[in-house]
Amino acid sequence: SKHRRDGARLACGAGCDACCHIPLAVTALEAFAAAEVVRADQALAAHVRIAGPVVQAAAPAERWKQRVPCALLRDGRGQAYDARPLPCRAYSSFDADRCNHALRTGDRDAQLGIPLWELPHTFAAAVRKAVRAACVAEGVEDAHIELSGAVAVILTDSSSANRWLAGETVFAAPRA
């Protein structure tokens, strides 16, 4: 169902993918969950192994300006939808035209001006803060990393989960 804010309806829906071009930092747990879904699709996994590091290497401002999509995006849909990270779940726009305009132009200010439903962002931020604190308490890397590159690392290194659980730094690449 579409949520309302001041009479406005959420504009997000199937095939809407402008937000999938926004640089996205996730926790390690979110990256591991997305990687499990991606791993089940051999073609997607092969694509992410190649595209993930390229997406990750793009500076966030340049990534938006150059319209570089998340490596998990295919045919206008996020391919790890059921395991999508909290920022993906929380991004809820009230104006698809503004989203598409911001993407078409690569205008970061236009992207920042998109009217969003703030409540999911508030909840997502609180949950992510708690997850990161739990990681610190457990002595595991509290990574805040770019999704595409992190999933590529996980798919490429079959020992990454065990190494991460053992307290090793797995996501030493540039962070988003």
Side-chain angles (χ1 to χ4, degrees):
S1 75
K2 298 283 185 173
H3 298 280
R4 298 178 184 274
R5 181 191 73 169
D6 301 329
R9 293 175 57 95
L10 289 179
C12 303
C16 178
D17 68 357
C19 60
C20 298
H21 295 73
I22 297 171
L24 178 64
V26 300
T27 65
L29 292 175
E30 292 169 309
F32 282 116
E36 284 306 306
V37 174
V38 171
R39 187 176 278 127
D41 180 333
Q42 290 182 355
L44 178 62
H47 169 74
V48 171
R49 281 187 194 99
I50 295 166
V54 173
V55 172
Q56 181 182 32
E62 284 304 306
R63 180 176 166 191
W64 177 256
K65 193 184 294 185
Q66 295 175 13
R67 297 164 206 68
V68 177
C70 174
L72 282 65
L73 182 67
R74 186 169 55 187
D75 300 326
R77 295 179 184 268
Q79 298 301 300
Y81 189 80
D82 290 340
R84 67 195 181 280
L86 286 171
C88 298
R89 291 175 187 273
Y91 200 90
S92 304
S93 171
F94 288 103
D95 193 334
D97 290 337
R98 285 178 71 177
C99 293
N100 290 323
H101 168 76
L103 178 60
R104 260 192 331 273
T105 63
D107 183 345
R108 181 80 171 143
D109 290 334
Q111 187 262 320
L112 293 172
I114 294 168
L116 302 175
W117 188 26
E118 292 300 323
L119 186 60
H121 287 277
T122 302
F123 286 129
V127 170
R128 291 173 61 149
K129 184 176 180 179
V131 167
R132 293 189 71 198
C135 288
V136 169
E138 291 299 317
V140 296
E141 183 181 12
D142 75 329
H144 199 219
I145 48 179
E146 194 283 322
L147 175 64
S148 298
V151 171
V153 166
I154 295 164
L155 294 174
T156 303
D157 178 359
S158 62
S159 69
S160 60
N162 289 333
R163 292 187 317 106
W164 180 76
L165 287 169
E168 291 184 37
T169 299
V170 173
F171 305 104
R175 295 164 188 257

